[in-house]
Amino acid sequence: MRVVRTIADLRALLRPLKGEGKRIGFVPTMGFLHEGHGALIRQSAARCDATVVSIFVNPTQFGPSEDLANYPRDLERDQNLCLEAGTTVLFLPEVAEIYPTGFQTHIEPGRLADPLCGRFRPGHFRGVATVVAKLFNMVQPDLAFFGQKDFQQTVVIRRMARDLNMPVDLVVVPTVREADGLALSSRNAYLGEDARRRALCLSQGLLAAKAAFDEGELDAARLLAIARGPLAGVDSLQYLELVDTQNLEALQGPVDRSAALCVAAYVGATRLIDNVLLVPAVSDAPGNGS
Ligand code: PAF
């Protein structure tokens, strides 16, 4: 595994690989990696000839009162995970490399950035879209791998890549969970013992609703009520919503198309998000022709 810190070095390493027609996979991250990232890197390594992983804690996607300064970091552990999972090139840029003095051009995502997390994190997806567009331009990957846990992020980035004709295919990899159901997240590191126990109610609610859906419950209001039950354990619920996966509009009545049940809540001082997909047997999910 080669470690590079500048865009020039990154491009110099990738140029010959591209010249040979190698397929480049890309996994953008903010570090403090866990097995969820491991799954993305492994998928990329299995499907591509070379895998680039970036670790960059992107300041433009954090709000003024968010956890940028305290965002957890452990570069040595991250490097070991990257190596073990099959990374070819690890890109570790400094902030000035990505946002040099005078930087002033941003990607403005459209309506898909407004609901769900967008309501509570103004400007967040503008920062995400901007840095991902820049990283795509630096790496020029054939495939880019993102975790399902950041569901809205995957929808915003897919739209951006389509709208701006970026020649990259997005691969969304299912959320990796602890044995008890908690979705892996770098922010789980903030949870003390009591908060860790209470954080479980997010996945408990979602997975109970998914089980009911799989057993034939299609009514959006009843599915939301099932998911809401255990959420009494959180300190502050930001949203629990069942949305159409294509346009992120709230679903009412029967779930007759591919939907995502999404939650964001504070447990103690830690903001957690999670989601499950509810895909009807005959749906508008990509690939079944409707
Ligand atoms: O999902 C993340 O870790 C970040 O939002 C990303 C995609 C690396 C952009 O900073």
Side-chain angles (χ1 to χ4, degrees), residues 28-31 37 54 56-58 61 71 124 127-128 131-132 135 146 150 153 157:
T29 83
M30 298 206 301
H37 299 106
S54 62
F56 178 66
V57 182
N58 174 37
Q61 70 189 75
Y71 198 79
H124 169 68
V128 169
V131 81
V132 170
L135 290 165
F146 292 87
D150 295 304
Q153 171 170 280
I157 292 174

Side-chain angles (χ1 to χ4, degrees), residues 41-204:
I41 300 169
R42 272 182 249 286
Q43 276 239 12
S44 175
R47 295 179 58 174
C48 301
D49 301 305
T51 291
V52 180
V53 176
S54 62
I55 296 180
F56 178 66
V57 182
N58 174 37
T60 66
Q61 70 189 75
F62 288 79
S65 61
E66 293 183 350
D67 55 349
L68 171 62
N70 301 322
Y71 198 79
R73 293 166 205 245
D74 187 342
L75 190 53
E76 196 179 322
R77 199 166 57 95
D78 286 353
Q79 290 198 345
N80 289 334
L81 188 147
C82 286
L83 182 63
E84 184 264 325
T87 303
T88 319
V89 179
L90 178 57
F91 180 42
L92 302 175
E94 296 291 338
V95 173
E97 183 73 3
I98 302 292
Y99 298 113
T101 307
F103 179 86
Q104 57 188 275
T105 306
H106 296 267
I107 301 282
E108 197 62 67
R111 287 186 305 281
L112 294 172
D114 293 340
L116 304 174
C117 288
R119 265 176 39 225
F120 298 91
R121 304 188 72 188
H124 169 68
F125 289 112
R126 179 183 198 249
V128 169
T130 300
V131 81
V132 170
K134 285 169 66 66
L135 290 165
F136 280 178
N137 283 337
M138 294 167 201
V139 177
Q140 301 188 359
D142 298 285
L143 297 180
F145 296 79
F146 292 87
Q148 173 68 43
K149 193 178 82 65
D150 295 304
F151 165 70
Q152 188 175 12
Q153 171 170 280
T154 66
V155 176
V156 168
I157 292 174
R158 177 170 281 124
R159 186 77 250 169
M160 173 189 77
R162 275 193 199 144
D163 286 351
L164 300 182
N165 308 95
M166 298 176 171
V168 55
D169 285 330
L170 253 63
V171 181
V172 179
V173 177
T175 302
V176 179
R177 297 179 182 280
E178 303 273 13
D180 60 8
L182 183 70
L184 295 195
S185 163
S186 305
R187 290 187 168 95
N188 292 352
Y190 299 139
L191 299 170
E193 202 176 311
D194 170 62
R196 168 68 181 75
R197 194 172 32 75
R198 289 187 297 119
L200 257 192
C201 66
L202 273 74
S203 55
Q204 277 167 351

